[in-house]
Amino acid sequence: MKCNFLGIGVTIFFFCMLFSPTAVFNGASDGLLLWFQTIVPTLFPFIFITDIMIYTNTIQAISKFFLPFVQRVFKTSENGSFAVVVGFLCGYPLGAKVTANLLKENKISILEAKYLLSFCNNASPIFILNFIIWKTLNRQSLAIPTLLLVLGVPACFSLIFRHFYWGDSRSFVHLAQSSCVRCKHEKSIVDSCIMDAIESITMVGGYIIIFSVFISVLKQYLPTHSLLQYCLPFLELSNGITMLKNFSFPPAIEYASIIALTVFGGFCALGQTKSVLKNTPISIAPYIMQKLVTAIVTSFIAFLYYSFL
């Protein structure tokens, strides 16, 4: 029955695309430009260098630098602290990808991987400042509050989520598995990391283009100001934020909606996260629930904050 509904939905959308070639072209073009001009320059270097650091055990130097603070706050292992740093600084889906790579390399335990995924896969500070504050909202006074909301609330929720994973140990330091170093020549490691980065960034681009086409086509057929029109922004983060801005909501609701979408990441980011978790035993379902809870709470706090400005 599920396959039948999916098949019917895909067929209907296929015919919508046939009768809306301009919308398909514009959506694909917008997605491609967003990927090529923004996502590739932003993510590709970080994907490559984090892979190099994981495979060569360079992460230990970075981890030790942040270790005192990260371990005290998040109770992670030495290797797990690296995923926390990357997840809060580099943006979707790099936090999930680094967590998955650490798990595949036996540098963290499965319990710690699930815990890390619950809070360290976030929008990057650069995206928040450049795209949301300066380009979309054009209010620099909201920069610090927005950073604190989008990054601070997930950090606070880690205090709750970790109780579901660490059991009686009260720390992930002793749950980390033994590290293994790949015995490869430097050239082989570089080649492998380049190919992995290309595969990952291409996957991200594919999701962005597909969801951009979804949004562009569905906008042509959904009734104006219908509930479904207001749900479209949650398909993809960058396009969605622009759409929320154009809906002309009251300022407090507009700000809270943008914050909710940024924390949740959109269904496009969910697809990217699920893709980078392939070949790991981590389920995407708990991640979705944790993201939803965090987004709802953060949005409510954002609404209250803006209302009393």
Side-chain angles (χ1 to χ4, degrees), residues 285-304:
Y287 170 80
I288 295 174
M289 293 303 299
Q290 290 153 355
K291 274 292 184 183
L292 282 173
V293 170
T294 308
I296 291 171
V297 173
T298 310
S299 175
F300 180 69
I301 297 173
F303 177 80
L304 293 179

Tab-separated table of all heavy atoms in Angstrom, residues 285-304:
chain	number	residue	atom	x	y	z
A	285	ALA	N	15.565	8.071	12.473
A	285	ALA	CA	14.314	8.424	13.160
A	285	ALA	C	14.548	9.199	14.458
A	285	ALA	O	13.925	10.250	14.661
A	285	ALA	CB	13.492	7.176	13.412
A	286	PRO	N	15.427	8.734	15.373
A	286	PRO	CA	15.661	9.525	16.586
A	286	PRO	C	16.210	10.917	16.284
A	286	PRO	O	15.854	11.890	16.956
A	286	PRO	CB	16.686	8.679	17.358
A	286	PRO	CG	16.514	7.302	16.849
A	286	PRO	CD	16.165	7.462	15.399
A	287	TYR	N	17.065	11.010	15.267
A	287	TYR	CA	17.615	12.309	14.880
A	287	TYR	C	16.497	13.273	14.475
A	287	TYR	O	16.497	14.449	14.859
A	287	TYR	CB	18.597	12.124	13.728
A	287	TYR	CG	19.052	13.410	13.075
A	287	TYR	CD1	20.051	14.193	13.643
A	287	TYR	CD2	18.478	13.843	11.871
A	287	TYR	CE1	20.467	15.372	13.044
A	287	TYR	CE2	18.889	15.014	11.262
A	287	TYR	CZ	19.878	15.774	11.850
A	287	TYR	OH	20.285	16.952	11.257
A	288	ILE	N	15.537	12.790	13.700
A	288	ILE	CA	14.422	13.641	13.258
A	288	ILE	C	13.622	14.136	14.460
A	288	ILE	O	13.281	15.325	14.556
A	288	ILE	CB	13.524	12.875	12.280
A	288	ILE	CG1	14.293	12.542	10.998
A	288	ILE	CG2	12.270	13.688	11.947
A	288	ILE	CD1	13.520	11.665	10.031
A	289	MET	N	13.300	13.241	15.386
A	289	MET	CA	12.536	13.622	16.565
A	289	MET	C	13.307	14.638	17.411
A	289	MET	O	12.725	15.621	17.900
A	289	MET	CB	12.209	12.389	17.393
A	289	MET	CG	11.256	11.422	16.717
A	289	MET	SD	9.689	12.219	16.255
A	289	MET	CE	9.081	12.726	17.862
A	290	GLN	N	14.590	14.417	17.591
A	290	GLN	CA	15.401	15.346	18.389
A	290	GLN	C	15.480	16.715	17.718
A	290	GLN	O	15.420	17.754	18.398
A	290	GLN	CB	16.795	14.749	18.603
A	290	GLN	CG	16.799	13.551	19.533
A	290	GLN	CD	17.946	12.590	19.273
A	290	GLN	OE1	18.721	12.745	18.332
A	290	GLN	NE2	18.066	11.578	20.122
A	291	LYS	N	15.615	16.725	16.406
A	291	LYS	CA	15.648	17.994	15.673
A	291	LYS	C	14.318	18.737	15.785
A	291	LYS	O	14.287	19.974	15.945
A	291	LYS	CB	15.978	17.734	14.200
A	291	LYS	CG	17.460	17.669	13.898
A	291	LYS	CD	18.096	19.035	14.073
A	291	LYS	CE	19.553	19.041	13.691
A	291	LYS	NZ	20.177	20.363	13.927
A	292	LEU	N	13.216	18.010	15.689
A	292	LEU	CA	11.899	18.637	15.790
A	292	LEU	C	11.692	19.270	17.159
A	292	LEU	O	11.230	20.408	17.270
A	292	LEU	CB	10.801	17.610	15.510
A	292	LEU	CG	10.541	17.259	14.047
A	292	LEU	CD1	9.548	16.102	13.949
A	292	LEU	CD2	10.010	18.469	13.285
A	293	VAL	N	12.023	18.519	18.195
A	293	VAL	CA	11.863	19.038	19.555
A	293	VAL	C	12.719	20.285	19.749
A	293	VAL	O	12.253	21.314	20.270
A	293	VAL	CB	12.235	17.962	20.594
A	293	VAL	CG1	12.296	18.565	21.989
A	293	VAL	CG2	11.224	16.822	20.563
A	294	THR	N	13.972	20.222	19.329
A	294	THR	CA	14.874	21.366	19.475
A	294	THR	C	14.374	22.564	18.685
A	294	THR	O	14.430	23.707	19.173
A	294	THR	CB	16.297	20.984	19.022
A	294	THR	OG1	16.721	19.799	19.691
A	294	THR	CG2	17.272	22.108	19.323
A	295	ALA	N	13.888	22.334	17.463
A	295	ALA	CA	13.405	23.430	16.617
A	295	ALA	C	12.176	24.101	17.229
A	295	ALA	O	12.057	25.334	17.215
A	295	ALA	CB	13.085	22.905	15.219
A	296	ILE	N	11.251	23.317	17.763
A	296	ILE	CA	10.029	23.878	18.356
A	296	ILE	C	10.367	24.740	19.567
A	296	ILE	O	9.875	25.866	19.713
A	296	ILE	CB	9.056	22.742	18.742
A	296	ILE	CG1	8.507	22.066	17.478
A	296	ILE	CG2	7.906	23.281	19.590
A	296	ILE	CD1	7.725	20.805	17.757
A	297	VAL	N	11.215	24.222	20.444
A	297	VAL	CA	11.589	24.976	21.640
A	297	VAL	C	12.352	26.246	21.267
A	297	VAL	O	12.084	27.338	21.797
A	297	VAL	CB	12.430	24.100	22.593
A	297	VAL	CG1	12.973	24.926	23.753
A	297	VAL	CG2	11.587	22.940	23.113
A	298	THR	N	13.295	26.134	20.336
A	298	THR	CA	14.077	27.301	19.919
A	298	THR	C	13.189	28.357	19.278
A	298	THR	O	13.348	29.560	19.516
A	298	THR	CB	15.182	26.890	18.929
A	298	THR	OG1	15.918	25.793	19.464
A	298	THR	CG2	16.130	28.047	18.669
A	299	SER	N	12.233	27.911	18.463
A	299	SER	CA	11.311	28.839	17.814
A	299	SER	C	10.467	29.587	18.844
A	299	SER	O	10.229	30.801	18.714
A	299	SER	CB	10.402	28.073	16.851
A	299	SER	OG	9.431	28.922	16.285
A	300	PHE	N	10.015	28.883	19.861
A	300	PHE	CA	9.207	29.512	20.914
A	300	PHE	C	10.022	30.570	21.664
A	300	PHE	O	9.534	31.679	21.921
A	300	PHE	CB	8.702	28.446	21.882
A	300	PHE	CG	7.867	28.985	23.009
A	300	PHE	CD1	6.603	29.507	22.764
A	300	PHE	CD2	8.351	28.978	24.311
A	300	PHE	CE1	5.841	30.033	23.802
A	300	PHE	CE2	7.595	29.491	25.346
A	300	PHE	CZ	6.329	30.013	25.092
A	301	ILE	N	11.267	30.242	21.995
A	301	ILE	CA	12.136	31.208	22.676
A	301	ILE	C	12.400	32.413	21.774
A	301	ILE	O	12.399	33.569	22.225
A	301	ILE	CB	13.464	30.543	23.085
A	301	ILE	CG1	13.208	29.421	24.091
A	301	ILE	CG2	14.430	31.570	23.681
A	301	ILE	CD1	14.450	28.607	24.428
A	302	ALA	N	12.614	32.161	20.464
A	302	ALA	CA	12.852	33.245	19.513
A	302	ALA	C	11.645	34.169	19.419
A	302	ALA	O	11.782	35.397	19.356
A	302	ALA	CB	13.191	32.669	18.134
A	303	PHE	N	10.449	33.584	19.413
A	303	PHE	CA	9.226	34.389	19.358
A	303	PHE	C	9.107	35.287	20.586
A	303	PHE	O	8.793	36.480	20.484
A	303	PHE	CB	8.006	33.473	19.245
A	303	PHE	CG	6.685	34.218	19.261
A	303	PHE	CD1	6.220	34.835	18.113
A	303	PHE	CD2	5.940	34.281	20.419
A	303	PHE	CE1	5.017	35.532	18.133
A	303	PHE	CE2	4.736	34.967	20.444
A	303	PHE	CZ	4.281	35.596	19.294
A	304	LEU	N	9.353	34.729	21.767
A	304	LEU	CA	9.281	35.503	22.996
A	304	LEU	C	10.330	36.616	23.002
A	304	LEU	O	10.043	37.764	23.373
A	304	LEU	CB	9.479	34.598	24.215
A	304	LEU	CG	8.374	33.572	24.495
A	304	LEU	CD1	8.738	32.748	25.704
A	304	LEU	CD2	7.029	34.261	24.698
